């Protein structure tokens, strides 16, 4: 298989209700598109959620890091490319490029996924699955952004609290991965987004939360432009952590 | 122009992050798709927002009513059709049909729009615009659901309050029309959605709200399956009203 045929390319347009007050695509919507592309790309290669579910397996997103020079503007066409960078026994790295209307790469993303057994919730050995077929999709394409990093948050005084509602819940009964992104970005006052933009955004998904869970948001200001956020459910259990770097 | 060519048809798929815990497309996402279709259809006919903005005009959504037999399920393809039913001096009625993967009409929607001058915020005479060209698009297609109705709410004790945040705000600086739908549907406990589904949903948009506004949600239970909701900003001014009918 040529390296090119291992890359999936998907077309989008920045819809009016998917942009923020600056007219730029929101990070939550971009995250949604990236995860959809991961779904399309893996489904086309026999590793989609629908197929996996028949074997009682599913993909679980562990890390996501997005880094951008600019966000698509309202009504602009853009593309997302995705490919598999590495496959380990328990994790696989999937990367993305975001390409603007003029064909210029304006950003990249990295994601880390595990596969679990839906009954036992235990991880699956990816290299043993389908006789190791997944390694055929590994692609040598550059992704010139840093890997997701370790995020630590010291603050014990929550910036905000909310209760997970109907709109937050996905088909698995969990608060959906994209909603966390929106809730975390809502911690920052709108003035931030008037003078800065997000250069890098990271998520580490640690545990699931459910309808009715009280989510608390703890935030460390590491420096003027870098914030680390931890989300806990019901007072103590960490659900996810995030790093937001403005420029 | 034949009646058929006056109908715009647009293809969608129910994406995984666009469905609720039942695996059914959310009303907010469907509303988003309908408004996008309105945008595509009017843009193709010279009445799109981009063109209007050059003349300092824009469309304002006044009413939306959606009635459905079922919602598309996760990963299912579906279509939205839209056409102009009526044009009056100050309003135009645009209707929609929602068509499932098997080509069956599973629902309809009605919307009412005004056009305003962005500087004066005053309404424009639609029949005088572009020498009345808009009436050429009027289409005689059936839309067998009731028109949006008058909604009154008596309750003065709010069910919920929230402050409009970054994610709520659109490119015009207003809380976006779709977010109101999500916030209103979040008023109902998840058990509602376990045993019932929304048969009809109505929105009447009355005034704009902005970043930092405190939104209060007042709800009348008209009967076991019918709820009327009023959203006020900062304690007194009505922003929108909604009718939610479950089955």
């Amino acid at each position: 298989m040529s390296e090119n045929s291992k890359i999936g390319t998907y077309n989008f347009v920045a819809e009016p209700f998917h942009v923020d007050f600056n007219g730029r695509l929101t990070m939550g919507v971009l995250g949604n598109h990236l995860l959809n592309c991961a779904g399309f790309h893996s489904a086309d290669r026999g590793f989609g959620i629908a197929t996996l579910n028949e074997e009682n397996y599913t993909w679980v997103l562990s890390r996501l890091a997005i880094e951008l020079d600019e966000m698509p503007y309202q009504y602009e066409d853009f593309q997302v490319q995705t490919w598999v960078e590495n496959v380990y026994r328990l994790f696989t790295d999937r990367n993305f490029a975001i390409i603007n209307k003029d064909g210029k790469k304006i950003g990249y993303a990295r994601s880390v996924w595990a596969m679990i057994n839906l009954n036992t919730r235990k991880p699956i050995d990816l290299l043993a699955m389908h006789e190791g077929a997944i390694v055929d999709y590994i692609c040598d394409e550059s992704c010139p952004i840093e890997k997701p990093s370790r995020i630590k948050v010291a603050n014990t005084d929550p910036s905000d609290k909310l209760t997970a509602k109907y709109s937050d819940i996905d088909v698995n009964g969990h608060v959906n991965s994209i909603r966390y992104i929106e809730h975390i970005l809502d911690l920052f006052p709108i003035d931030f987004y008037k003078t800065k933009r997000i250069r890098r955004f990271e998520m580490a998904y640690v545990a699931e939360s459910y309808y009715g869970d009280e989510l608390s948001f703890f935030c460390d200001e590491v420096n003027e432009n870098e914030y680390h956020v931890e989300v806990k459910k019901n007072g103590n259990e960490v659900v996810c952590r995030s790093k937001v770097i403005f420029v």
Side-chain angles (χ1 to χ4, degrees), chain A:
Chain A
M1 208 172 340
S2 76
E3 295 306 288
N4 245 349
S5 71
K6 295 178 182 171
I7 300 176
T9 303
Y10 307 93
N11 297 308
F12 296 94
V13 61
E15 300 178 10
F17 291 99
H18 289 171
V19 300
D20 70 3
F21 72 95
N22 289 312
R24 299 282 172 182
L25 196 74
T26 68
M27 192 59 79
V29 169
L30 178 62
N32 183 13
H33 291 332
L34 298 181
L35 301 187
N36 282 337
C37 291
F40 301 144
H41 188 258
S42 58
D44 287 346
R45 285 151 185 83
F47 285 89
I49 297 256
T51 312
L52 292 182
N53 285 359
E54 287 169 20
E55 304 176 72
N56 260 316
Y57 298 158
T58 197
W59 286 113
V60 175
L61 177 62
S62 168
R63 301 292 192 108
L64 182 65
I66 303 173
E67 200 168 314
L68 293 148
D69 295 328
E70 62 176 81
M71 269 289 194
Y73 192 74
Q74 186 177 218
Y75 297 117
E76 281 181 2
D77 292 317
F78 64 100
Q79 289 186 316
V80 172
Q81 290 188 333
T82 184
W83 63 94
V84 177
E85 183 189 39
N86 288 304
V87 182
Y88 308 100
R89 207 166 62 84
L90 300 182
F91 288 99
T92 175
D93 297 331
R94 169 181 288 285
N95 297 341
F96 304 87
I98 298 100
I99 297 164
N100 77 2
K101 61 183 195 320
D102 306 316
K104 184 182 154 205
K105 287 186 179 160
I106 52 172
Y108 293 91
R110 292 178 168 275
S111 63
V112 179
W113 302 76
M115 194 185 291
I116 62 163
N117 181 307
L118 281 166
N119 299 97
T120 64
R121 311 299 292 179
K122 292 213 168 131
I124 302 300
D125 182 345
L126 293 170
L127 298 172
M129 214 199 149
H130 295 185
E131 285 132 17
I134 195 173
V135 301
D136 296 342
Y137 302 114
I138 294 175
C139 176
D140 182 23
E141 172 77 6
S142 104
C143 186
I145 66 167
E146 274 179 40
K147 296 207 168 191
S149 57
R150 187 169 155 76
I151 306 167
K152 283 171 84 170
V153 175
N155 203 331
T156 55
D157 184 27
S159 310
D160 202 7
K161 286 184 182 189
L162 59 84
T163 302
K165 294 178 178 171
Y166 163 70
S167 293
D168 292 311
I169 306 302
D170 69 14
V171 70
N172 302 307
H174 309 141
V175 171
N176 92 48
S177 316
I178 300 307
R179 280 288 171 157
Y180 292 119
I181 300 178
E182 295 181 355
H183 291 321
I184 287 167
L185 297 183
D186 276 343
L187 297 174
F188 301 96
I190 205 161
D191 283 341
F192 256 70
Y193 300 100
K194 285 182 180 159
T195 53
K196 306 174 191 213
R197 63 171 191 85
I198 300 169
R199 184 177 66 80
R200 183 175 169 97
F201 181 81
E202 281 187 38
M203 285 292 290
Y205 295 98
V206 179
E208 301 293 357
S209 66
Y210 304 89
Y211 178 80
D213 279 350
E214 190 195 60
L215 302 179
S216 308
F217 297 78
F218 301 88
C219 189
D220 282 351
E221 182 178 341
V222 178
N223 64 53
E224 197 196 344
N225 285 319
E226 180 166 345
Y227 296 81
H228 297 183
V229 179
E230 188 166 69
V231 183
K232 289 183 177 172
K233 68 176 175 186
N234 308 322
N236 48 18
E237 195 186 347
V238 175
V239 172
C240 60
R241 297 188 185 96
S242 175
K243 189 180 281 192
V244 190
I245 303 177
F246 292 91
V247 70

